[in-house]
Amino acid sequence: MAGNGMKRRDFLKAAATTPVLGAFGVALYSKESHDKAAREEILRISKKVSGTNPNILKRNYKRSAPASDTINIGIVGCGGRGKSLMRSCGFHPPEDPQPRGLEGQESLNLKLTAVCDLFQPNIDWAVKASGGTAKVYRTYQELFDKSDIDAVVIATSDHYHAPVAVAAARAGKHIYVEKCMTKTIEEAFEVREVVKKAGVVLQLGHQNRNSNRYDSAMEVIDKGMLGHVSLIQCYTNRNSRSGAWVYDIPKEHGPISASSGPRNLDWKQYLANTVERPYDPNRFFRWRCFWDYGTGLSGDLLTHELDVINMVMNLGIPATAVASGGVYHHKEYVTLMTAEGEPLDSDEPVPEGAIPRPDVPVLRRDVPDVFQVVYEWPDRDLAVVYNASLSNNWRRGQIYMGSEATMDLTSGVDVFADAQSKRYADWLKSGKIRPDEPMISYRNVAGKGIEAITAATAQWTVAKGLLYTFRDGRMVSTSYLHLKNWIDHIRDNNTDTMCNIDDGFQEAITAHMATYSYLKGTRVRWDAENERILFDGQESEEAPKELAAIG
Amino acid sequence: MNNDNALSRILGKFSGAQKFILVSLRVIVGWHFLYEGYVKIVSEGWSSAGYLNAAPGPFAEIFHNMAESPWMVSAVDIIMSWGLTLIGIALILGLFTRLVSVAAAFFLIMFYLSNPPWIGVQFMAGEGSYMIVNKNLVELTAVMVLLVFPTGVIWGFDRIFVKE
């Protein structure tokens, strides 16, 4: 008896602290129910009828056709962006490392059978990447006439987007075209008309639409949590040479000790639809710095902001645009090499004894590096302000300012109740929510290697959702998802892609309204009824003279 | 086991209050570990990579190198989340007290070194400001107390191993 008693007492002492685990479980349960109830209470406050934004439906497109048939694609323009798109399609030379963000994703089942580029090393790269299946065409016209492609990826300089897209549509080829969709307003009308008539599937290259943060952002807008949104602020800040489009001029351009001349590239064809000029490698390799070939901050970087704002808010083309800016920082750039004639990276510190490259003249850009635009939608009682600097890296945010709350899409989704909000007044008073802490916060999951991207421009593009997003906890390339969305629509014979021809038309007109306003020095109006552009105080409806050479 | 018996005899001579405080310390540290581990297991997509990458100080490079390899990050994630959880449960139950105290000390030393509040080191943004001593060091010291006073033999399942 005594022995048994001892054992029981021993057991009680051994298990003395076990009930603490039970207490832990009870505490956990009550904490989780409390957190869940608080979240549901915040989401329930919606006053708006949901489902008014058709863009929400587009986001979860599921292909119905099988992917068993191989689709032949071609690439026109296989420079920096073109190569990146080819990698996202699964094409890269065998010696290159595996592209990131494709692990575990479905193969698109494509065959790269045609390539057209004006710079020989780009052509060589594409042929290698295709595994030898790609045939080389010297002009895009020849490519559409003679190749066996079903679809084409267009990643040329901006001044060729529209001509190549129009030729592709006329040849019945499906189109993935980089932004900005066109270089002028006239071209936007032409591309829309030809693409719709041909019935081809077009995807405009705004891959950041696929970033999963917009699912949350659109839910917040759809539920009316912000109240009346009267102002949206968006921006671009970058502070590196490559961020300011001063790319390195490749070694293959030629022996850099010799004087300037076109080497390995087709300068004549490059200029075929713009102003005739003496050869200048800056104008070929750094084309974004010039109105002859690029679309400036509005076409290149503003469109990333305005396109997703259009998707989230379903705005369409603004009624008015006013823009201003100038070349305030990157006035001149001398391309340097070492005394031994080795090319130097424009973003690396300049070593002692560096001298100017004889094959590259001084770069003097004509597109602004500081730029701001105000757009207005009087029918929505809303203004959008964009401003940009290419000589400062401060993060400012894409911020939706509503009468009840503010949504910040800088690096995720954060919704802050407005300190003066009426709807959230009780909660603010009771301390349930605080104006300086988000009441809803959503983050792309950090980790799994994403922080290994260190270049400033790369970090910027990651934060903006331009490189990667997350699907099922995995880091996925947004370009892959955008290309897949296009290919899925081709297989289903459905033209309503993630960024379709109507989205593209709106994107192009919106961007060009800012450019035209800047170049003409006046406010630009969009006459929605007659679909035309008007310039305040100016009779002429012609494009600015800087862009007039196109076509 | 002789050692356990000796400890059991020594700790058995402590006053009720002394025993109660020591066992409470063990249970409270265990509770903290258990919740930290549990949260990491259930948070979808939680990863140590962000923390490892942000590590400042003289050992930063070691932690950054760990973050470079996806394989290493996955291993750290599993060790961290399940390690903290199991240590927490064991401390609460008073099971393998000395072994898990050593494991807990190891985790806390790593946390301390990855973000050392030393003079001249720009440490990660946190909830307080510290000079050499921070909460990790305080908890590490608490765990050292548990190691030298392994109360599992008084109130806890380590008592099973004590042969009278």
Side-chain angles (χ1 to χ4, degrees):
Chain A
M1 285 296 281
N4 276 346
M6 280 302 285
K7 269 184 192 162
R8 211 175 79 211
R9 215 172 66 202
D10 266 356
F11 177 77
L12 285 176
K13 283 190 173 178
T17 50
T18 305
V20 174
L21 279 183
F24 184 92
V26 171
L28 200 58
Y29 177 76
S30 91
K31 179 172 162 51
E32 292 194 339
S33 343
H34 174 267
D35 292 352
K36 193 164 165 250
R39 185 187 143 77
E40 279 173 359
E41 191 177 5
I42 287 173
L43 287 175
R44 253 202 319 272
I45 197 128
S46 148
K47 294 266 193 315
K48 207 175 136 188
V49 184
S50 284
T52 50
N53 184 350
N55 293 327
I56 292 176
L57 291 176
K58 273 195 191 184
R59 297 188 62 77
N60 293 312
Y61 188 76
K62 293 266 180 298
R63 185 188 65 231
S64 44
S68 46
D69 54 324
T70 301
I71 292 178
N72 291 345
I73 65 160
I75 171 91
V76 179
C78 198
R81 186 64 195 145
K83 289 191 183 85
S84 163
L85 288 168
M86 287 302 99
R87 284 191 201 101
S88 296
C89 288
F91 301 116
H92 60 89
E95 66 270 22
D96 278 17
Q98 284 293 325
R100 297 174 69 180
L102 302 185
E103 301 87 355
Q105 301 303 310
E106 180 190 318
S107 159
L108 300 179
N109 195 6
L110 305 175
K111 192 169 159 194
L112 178 55
T113 61
V115 54
C116 175
D117 195 281
L118 303 179
F119 185 48
Q120 189 59 43
N122 290 347
I123 296 172
D124 299 342
W125 186 95
V127 170
K128 229 180 189 181
S130 74
T133 56
K135 279 194 192 152
V136 179
Y137 300 89
R138 292 295 153 191
T139 67
Y140 66 88
Q141 294 93 338
E142 196 188 318
L143 183 144
F144 293 129
D145 280 351
K146 298 192 179 153
S147 75
D148 61 351
I149 60 165
D150 308 298
V152 65
V153 173
I154 304 169
T156 59
S157 46
D158 293 353
H159 72 307
Y160 266 110
H161 287 176
V164 181
V166 166
R170 291 211 169 111
K173 314 297 184 193
H174 303 296
I175 301 164
Y176 184 105
V177 59
E178 264 307 320
K179 48 84 198 171
C180 187
M181 190 173 84
T182 69
K183 192 163 160 324
T184 65
I185 286 175
E186 292 72 16
E187 285 176 340
F189 281 99
E190 192 192 358
V191 170
R192 184 178 65 170
E193 194 190 320
V194 176
V195 164
K196 288 206 164 184
K197 209 165 138 191
V200 293
V201 177
L202 179 138
Q203 178 88 294
L204 179 64
H206 280 297
Q207 72 279 359
N208 53 325
R209 281 189 170 221
N210 297 278
S211 174
N212 52 5
R213 86 181 58 170
Y214 298 115
D215 293 322
S216 309
M218 289 165 83
E219 190 186 349
V220 168
I221 296 294
D222 188 51
K223 289 187 184 302
M225 291 185 67
L226 305 185
H228 165 223
V229 178
S230 57
L231 182 63
I232 298 172
Q233 174 202 295
C234 56
Y235 83 106
T236 307
N237 277 28
R238 290 175 164 191
N239 193 11
S240 65
R241 296 267 178 210
S242 54
W245 311 314
V246 183
Y247 305 122
D248 293 324
I249 292 180
K251 248 200 235 161
E252 298 90 338
H253 173 247
I256 59 175
S257 52
S259 64
S260 194
R263 296 188 190 87
N264 287 322
L265 64 84
D266 187 345
W267 178 247
K268 206 174 149 207
Q269 199 184 158
Y270 182 64
L271 295 188
N273 76 336
T274 180
V275 188
E276 179 69 33
R277 289 184 195 274
Y279 177 66
D280 179 350
N282 288 310
R283 287 181 168 269
F284 189 86
F285 294 103
R286 297 163 172 170
W287 56 266
R288 286 195 168 96
C289 298
F290 302 95
W291 289 124
D292 280 356
Y293 329 103
T295 47
L297 272 163
S298 19
D300 191 45
L301 296 169
L302 169 148
T303 51
H304 279 313
E305 307 296 312
L306 266 294
D307 176 69
V308 290
I309 291 171
N310 185 19
M311 173 180 72
V312 169
M313 299 288 291
N314 195 30
L315 290 174
I317 297 168
T320 62
V322 185
S324 75
V327 183
Y328 293 149
H329 185 83
H330 297 279
K331 290 174 190 289
E332 278 193 357
Y333 179 71
V334 178
T335 305
L336 298 171
M337 63 180 189
T338 64
E340 292 74 39
E342 282 301 307
L344 288 169
D345 186 314
S346 65
D347 278 317
E348 292 294 317
V350 178
E352 218 160 295
I355 50 171
R357 270 174 75 157
D359 63 330
V360 186
V362 176
L363 168 65
R364 290 187 188 87
R365 71 179 61 209
D366 58 22
V367 303
D369 55 16
V370 172
F371 190 66
Q372 42 270 320
V373 194
V374 183
Y375 289 114
E376 309 210 14
W377 282 262
D379 58 325
R380 299 282 293 267
D381 298 308
L382 168 71
V384 174
V385 180
Y386 168 84
N387 50 21
S389 168
L390 296 182
S391 53
N392 177 281
N393 204 35
W394 189 252
R395 285 174 78 172
R396 292 182 284 153
Q398 190 181 99
I399 299 171
Y400 296 64
M401 296 169 226
S403 52
E404 305 292 344
T406 301
M407 177 166 73
D408 182 351
L409 298 189
T410 310
S411 42
V413 180
D414 292 301
V415 180
F416 299 83
D418 194 88
Q420 305 300 325
S421 155
K422 291 189 175 58
R423 188 183 300 170
Y424 305 118
D426 290 346
W427 291 354
L428 285 161
K429 213 173 150 195
S430 69
K432 191 178 272 178
I433 55 175
R434 292 164 49 133
D436 55 348
E437 278 173 15
M439 58 177 179
I440 288 182
S441 187
Y442 166 82
R443 281 278 173 288
N444 268 345
V445 179
K448 313 294 182 198
I450 195 164
E451 293 85 357
I453 299 154
T454 49
T457 303
Q459 274 177 352
W460 182 85
T461 49
V462 168
K464 294 216 169 200
L466 295 178
L467 286 181
Y468 303 108
T469 186
F470 289 83
R471 291 283 188 277
D472 307 321
R474 211 185 255 278
M475 187 177 86
V476 185
S477 148
T478 46
S479 291
Y480 164 83
L481 293 171
H482 209 47
L483 285 156
K484 179 172 188 299
N485 179 274
W486 174 54
I487 297 292
D488 284 351
H489 280 79
I490 292 174
R491 291 208 157 98
D492 282 351
N493 197 21
N494 177 343
T495 56
D496 192 18
T497 52
M498 177 73 103
C499 194
N500 65 24
I501 182 64
D502 291 315
D503 299 315
F505 181 76
Q506 292 169 8
E507 178 246 27
I509 301 288
T510 304
H512 302 328
M513 281 171 74
T515 303
Y516 285 33
S517 171
Y518 167 76
L519 290 173
K520 290 201 145 210
T522 184
R523 172 159 38 186
V524 175
R525 292 178 186 279
W526 171 246
D527 173 357
E529 205 172 314
N530 301 303
E531 289 209 313
R532 59 177 193 156
I533 287 291
L534 302 169
F535 303 109
D536 275 13
Q538 297 187 15
E539 288 297 310
S540 152
E541 289 178 26
E542 278 172 19
K545 61 181 187 325
E546 288 84 348
L547 307 176
I550 294 294
Chain B
M1 290 304 131
N2 284 335
N3 209 358
D4 278 348
N5 291 345
L7 272 167
S8 167
R9 270 198 301 281
I10 296 161
L11 293 170
K13 286 179 184 151
F14 280 18
S15 74
Q18 285 171 324
K19 286 184 205 165
F20 181 76
I21 296 292
L22 279 173
V23 172
S24 300
L25 183 66
R26 192 190 82 213
V27 168
I28 284 169
V29 171
W31 183 294
H32 182 216
F33 269 73
L34 175 55
Y35 187 66
E36 286 283 349
Y38 167 82
V39 163
K40 288 172 179 61
I41 292 172
V42 297
S43 322
E44 199 184 327
W46 171 83
S47 165
S48 58
Y51 185 86
L52 292 170
N53 263 306
F59 309 102
E61 209 172 314
I62 300 168
F63 295 104
H64 297 175
N65 286 341
M66 288 163 82
E68 288 265 300
S69 135
W71 177 87
M72 191 64 130
V73 169
S74 312
V76 172
D77 288 354
I78 291 169
I79 293 168
M80 281 270 282
S81 50
W82 284 100
L84 293 175
T85 304
L86 294 176
I87 288 171
I89 292 172
L91 284 177
I92 290 174
L93 294 180
L95 182 63
F96 312 126
T97 312
R98 275 183 299 171
L99 179 71
V100 295
S101 296
V102 170
F106 170 77
F107 275 105
L108 290 162
I109 289 168
M110 297 309 273
F111 298 156
Y112 183 79
L113 293 180
S114 65
N115 189 17
W118 295 344
I119 295 151
V121 174
Q122 186 69 47
F123 52 92
M124 279 184 242
E127 74 277 34
S129 48
Y130 306 103
M131 185 178 66
I132 301 170
V133 175
N134 66 2
K135 290 175 189 172
N136 285 329
L137 196 61
V138 173
E139 194 164 14
L140 174 63
T141 314
V143 167
M144 299 319 271
V145 171
L146 300 180
L147 183 62
V148 295
F149 296 101
T151 53
V153 293
I154 320 172
W155 289 332
F157 284 98
D158 283 341
R159 194 177 178 87
I160 292 165
F161 304 118
V162 178
K163 296 277 184 294
E164 299 275 344

